Amino acid sequence: MDALNVYAAKMAPQQESLANGHRACQGCAELLAVRLVAKTLGQDFIIANATGCLEIVTSSYPHSAWKVPWIHVAFENAAAVASGVEAGIKILKKKGKYPVDREIKIIAQAGDGGTVDIGLQALSGALERGHDFMYLCYDNEAYMNTGIQRSSSTPYGASTTTSPSGSESIGQVTMKKNVVEIAVAHDIPYVATASPSYPFDLMEKVRKGAEAKGPAYIHVLAPCPTGWRLAPNLALSIGRLAVQTKVFPLYEVVNGQYRMTVSYKNHRPVADYLKPQGRFRHLKEADIAFIQQHVDSSYDRLLKKIEMSEG
Ligand SMILES: Cc1ncc(C[n+]2csc(CCOP(=O)(O)OP(=O)(O)O)c2C)c(N)n1
Ligand code: SF4
């Protein structure tokens, strides 16, 4: 774990498939994560990108930050388009119109809105059909591109423009949907959570996901200074706090077997994660205690699955 904590740019692959000059907000951790993913994948991959921040900031017409084939698709169908690309290449290979030994990787990527809400059906279909592709969800926990509206990945108690906190409401009143477990339920070769605050852990998971034969799903927590009402220089440290407080455990599920990839002996209280973020500023001590309870019990459930995997 300690080795994964260290980061020096020199230790990461030097290749860049995502050029500089994109238009993400200052401190956007999503774009850092995407850059690390692109570095890991090299040059031979094709992306189907749902609409959202990531699409907007990397492709403002007539420019593109992508140095690889990149398709902007509708909000709901990144996984369906990736499935089509993968199937198309298979057919071209059969017809002798594409080099049989070329291992081009097919990627689908979307925000949480494009994944856990509107794109869930397309994602489930693609996972169930067993396409050889990797799906990356960059979860900034709301529909950021259109003005910080809640999604089903927004955590309980967060204030957004469509779940505003106030005298009548705590903000988001539902718990974050656990789409990682939904992906696991499809019995696919590789599922993982990842964070740009742990770059080597993230890159290792991307490598494993890309090498898996069949579908891979990686859920990346992407701190968003704009929507989380957070100072831009805190995006990476808040990502670290998400792991240190058990809010966002880093684990992988390889062929159904769970393994924690980053673990701490002592965890910090969830308040350390919530308090720096303006979207949680209104929470009272009792609300924080309630969230702590929920975090603890979700984490304990995860530990049980890991224990069962270890036999
Ligand atoms: C069918 C459809 N509904 C709504 C929209 C408008 N829209 C574009 S991007 C977006 C939000 C994207 O949110 P998310 O997937 O979480 O990505 P983020 O912008 O947060 O990275 C919405 C609602 C759309 N393009 N298509
Ligand atoms: S709104 Fe958030 S996710 Fe979108 S570009 Fe800005 S910081 Fe990144």
Side-chain angles (χ1 to χ4, degrees):
M1 208 287 287
D2 283 341
L4 297 174
N5 253 329
V6 183
Y7 181 77
K10 260 198 223 155
M11 293 160 71
Q14 297 302 300
Q15 62 204 358
E16 302 280 0
S17 298
L18 177 73
N20 52 13
H22 59 70
R23 297 179 180 194
C25 313
Q26 192 182 19
C28 175
E30 177 162 315
L31 261 288
L32 174 62
V34 173
R35 184 177 170 205
L36 293 168
V37 170
K39 273 176 171 289
T40 313
L41 290 172
Q43 311 268 285
D44 214 13
F45 62 104
I46 297 173
I47 306 179
N49 197 142
T51 201
C53 272
L54 178 51
E55 164 258 328
I56 294 289
V57 304
T58 59
S59 70
S60 37
Y61 184 79
H63 304 288
S64 170
W66 292 99
K67 297 183 187 174
V68 292
W70 179 91
I71 314 160
H72 172 213
V73 304
F75 196 18
E76 60 276 29
N77 65 354
V81 173
S83 307
V85 173
E86 188 256 6
I89 287 177
K90 239 189 222 162
I91 295 292
L92 289 176
K93 281 187 177 176
K94 263 194 194 156
K95 289 184 171 173
K97 294 183 176 171
Y98 199 90
V100 186
D101 51 0
R102 186 171 169 190
E103 293 269 347
I104 192 156
K105 199 68 215 169
I106 313 302
I107 305 295
Q109 59 188 27
D112 48 294
T115 304
V116 307
D117 290 340
I118 195 166
L120 190 59
Q121 179 181 346
L123 172 62
S124 175
L127 298 184
E128 183 269 326
R129 287 189 301 272
H131 291 278
D132 189 7
F133 82 121
M134 178 158 61
Y135 191 104
L136 288 135
C137 171
Y138 292 101
D139 182 5
N140 53 25
E141 301 192 322
Y143 294 65
M144 293 305 176
N145 171 56
T146 39
I148 323 178
Q149 293 95 8
R150 74 165 287 278
S151 77
S152 56
S153 202
T154 302
Y156 175 84
S159 188
T160 72
T161 53
T162 49
S163 63
S165 60
S167 53
E168 299 294 320
S169 174
I170 192 174
Q172 174 87 336
V173 292
T174 51
M175 292 294 170
K176 185 179 175 79
K177 188 189 286 183
N178 192 340
V179 78
V180 179
E181 290 303 314
I182 295 175
V184 172
H186 288 77
D187 211 2
I188 58 175
Y190 193 76
V191 179
T193 59
S195 160
S197 303
Y198 297 80
F200 290 105
D201 182 70
L202 183 148
M203 288 189 283
E204 179 64 3
K205 287 167 173 169
V206 170
R207 189 188 61 72
K208 285 185 180 174
E211 282 174 4
K213 294 283 168 241
Y217 176 85
I218 302 186
H219 196 94
V220 182
L221 185 69
C224 162
T226 307
W228 294 17
R229 308 288 186 221
L230 182 74
N233 61 334
L234 295 184
L236 286 186
S237 53
I238 210 77
R240 217 163 253 277
L241 279 166
V243 179
Q244 291 166 342
T245 56
K246 305 190 282 191
V247 166
F248 191 81
L250 291 176
Y251 65 101
E252 64 182 6
V253 188
V254 185
N255 297 317
Q257 299 299 301
Y258 286 73
R259 186 176 78 88
M260 196 75 84
T261 60
V262 175
S263 44
Y264 289 95
K265 277 204 184 91
N266 299 307
H267 291 102
R268 297 173 64 156
V270 80
D272 289 4
Y273 171 70
L274 300 175
K275 287 205 165 146
Q277 302 182 52
R279 63 180 175 154
F280 295 119
R281 191 171 291 137
H282 56 283
L283 294 182
K284 302 194 170 56
E285 289 309 311
D287 303 324
I288 294 175
F290 175 72
I291 294 172
Q292 180 74 63
Q293 247 176 21
H294 182 74
V295 164
D296 288 345
S297 66
S298 305
Y299 192 80
D300 287 347
R301 275 203 304 277
L302 174 63
L303 287 185
K304 286 202 178 94
K305 288 177 193 160
I306 291 170
E307 275 165 31
M308 278 169 63
S309 297
E310 288 167 350

